Amino acid sequence: MDEKVLVTGSSGFIGSFIVEEALERGMQVWAGVRRGSSRAYLQDSRIHFLELDFSSKERLVEQLDGHEFDYVVHAAGVTKCINKDDFYKVNTQGTRNLVDALLALQMPLKRFVYLSSLSVFGPVAEEQPYREITDEDLPRPNTAYGKSKLEAEKYLDSIGNEFPYIILRPTGVYGPREKDYFMMAKSIKGHTDFAVGFRKQDITFVYVRDVVQAVFLAFDHGMSGRKYFLTDGNIYQSSAFSNRIREELGNPWWIRIVAPIWLLKVITVCGEYIGRATGKITALNKDKYHILKQRNWRCNIEPTMDELGYHARYDLSRGVKETIGWYKANGWL
């Protein structure tokens, strides 16, 4: 296969898996990275590297000039920031700059795949508890991350038919190399599990390799401008993930602490203050409060299955088993 693909955010969790799959398919792969980004998971000698500056359309035009790609997968972005304005600089304006550069260069793309997030919707289904979020719902994101992703989606929508894009909206993505869910595994190994809220919480997950599957299905299927939710097709309760982690760790003894929502808010407010004071990014922030507070993360993946031909290969049991196995094999646990 002579098709060429540019994967932005290649040094990141999801991006590195997309690069691996593209190489497996015999594609010519360009890894779009920021200067100074780790290349720990980009060791294959077939990878071509492009340093990209998403803060400037003009710089991107210079950096991309002379290249022609059949596909671009835009997986670059930030999920945690000290200053909420940085979400918009990277996730919104960075996406806009890349798209504008590709348009300016008249890149003959077959498909541009944008990795967005289920977070663009926020708690839209909270008034009717536990119904599925659909693409007919009006997004109401309540996190800076979700808002920045939604603004990027809106910009793509504003371009019209001249740009062949598809948007993927995965729920919580986990798998090898992922660091946030790893912290849960590390805590459980240390005999403590922490949960928030006493009201029922319906959660959805998607394994990283299923996200990658959807990316490549989007190259050939689906209509330009369409948006697709990604989960493994199952609904889980809040304890399901930690229960499966514990099983894979050999069922160590543990203490499960369930904290009220108000305590989470206190903790995240303090965490955000400490993060600003120290200049260090922390997972305990306002966005995390809204994410953990939300009680319903169901979404309708039937259009994803019907139009893309997507069928998740990993449920939580299989995915957690592979993930914990990787953490152990690589000395993380």
Side-chain angles (χ1 to χ4, degrees), residues 13 16-17 20 40-41 175-179 182 207 209 319-333:
F13 164 48
S16 62
F17 278 97
E20 288 180 1
Y41 304 120
R177 307 173 191 167
E178 201 280 331
K179 296 179 179 178
F182 163 69
Y207 189 62
R209 295 188 190 278
V320 169
K321 184 179 183 66
E322 190 167 297
T323 301
I324 297 300
W326 186 92
Y327 289 151
K328 290 178 178 178
N330 286 271
W332 288 34
L333 286 174

Side-chain angles (χ1 to χ4, degrees), residues 12-258:
F13 164 48
I14 299 175
S16 62
F17 278 97
I18 297 171
V19 167
E20 288 180 1
E21 180 64 21
L23 290 171
E24 185 69 22
R25 291 169 179 251
M27 302 181 77
Q28 296 184 44
V29 182
W30 273 257
V33 296
R34 294 187 180 90
R35 179 171 295 179
S37 294
S38 170
R39 301 186 184 187
Y41 304 120
L42 302 171
Q43 297 297 310
D44 195 298
S45 61
R46 294 171 293 174
I47 299 172
H48 306 278
F49 288 94
L50 268 177
E51 288 190 359
L52 300 177
D53 179 3
F54 295 101
S55 67
S56 166
K57 169 195 167 183
E58 289 72 27
R59 284 287 294 137
L60 285 170
V61 168
E62 292 175 5
Q63 291 162 340
L64 294 171
D65 192 22
H67 296 279
E68 283 195 1
F69 302 108
D70 298 289
Y71 305 100
V72 171
V73 183
H74 187 37
V78 290
T79 58
K80 294 186 289 289
C81 294
I82 296 173
N83 188 330
K84 69 177 183 179
D85 290 340
D86 290 337
F87 283 111
Y88 297 93
K89 290 178 183 177
V90 178
N91 295 342
T92 307
Q93 191 59 46
T95 301
R96 180 170 186 157
N97 289 339
L98 175 61
V99 171
D100 286 350
L102 294 170
L103 289 170
L105 291 166
Q106 297 183 328
M107 191 78 68
L109 292 179
K110 295 178 181 177
R111 187 76 80 194
F112 179 95
V113 179
Y114 178 57
L115 285 180
S116 185
S117 169
L118 180 58
S119 293
V120 301
F121 279 88
V124 297
E126 295 290 275
E127 291 81 1
Q128 301 174 44
Y130 313 117
R131 73 165 174 83
E132 289 183 332
I133 300 168
T134 74
D135 55 12
E136 294 180 358
D137 284 309
L138 181 66
R140 290 191 290 125
N142 56 0
T143 63
Y145 170 73
K147 292 174 183 176
S148 68
K149 285 288 191 177
L150 180 60
E151 289 305 310
E153 287 192 11
K154 288 180 177 178
Y155 184 67
L156 285 167
D157 290 339
S158 73
I159 298 172
N161 296 328
E162 61 181 298
F163 197 67
Y165 70 95
I166 277 181
I167 294 171
L168 300 179
R169 293 165 164 169
T171 184
V173 185
Y174 70 100
R177 307 173 191 167
E178 201 280 331
K179 296 179 179 178
D180 286 348
Y181 288 114
F182 163 69
M183 297 305 294
M184 183 187 298
K186 187 177 180 180
S187 177
I188 292 170
K189 185 179 180 182
H191 310 294
T192 304
D193 182 39
F194 183 80
V196 176
F198 300 101
R199 188 162 60 92
K200 176 185 174 185
Q201 186 179 41
D202 283 355
I203 301 181
T204 50
F205 295 98
V206 62
Y207 189 62
V208 63
R209 295 188 190 278
D210 281 327
V211 176
V212 173
Q213 174 201 165
V215 167
F216 287 88
L217 288 171
F219 286 175
D220 300 316
H221 305 284
M223 295 183 296
S224 179
R226 288 286 280 139
K227 305 172 180 69
Y228 299 100
F229 296 118
L230 293 178
T231 76
D232 69 5
N234 298 303
I235 309 298
Y236 301 96
Q237 296 309 299
S238 55
S239 60
F241 200 90
S242 55
N243 286 342
R244 284 164 174 78
I245 289 174
R246 185 180 180 228
E247 290 171 7
E248 292 303 320
L249 291 175
N251 291 307
W253 68 265
W254 66 353
I255 299 173
R256 173 170 279 166
I257 301 170
V258 183

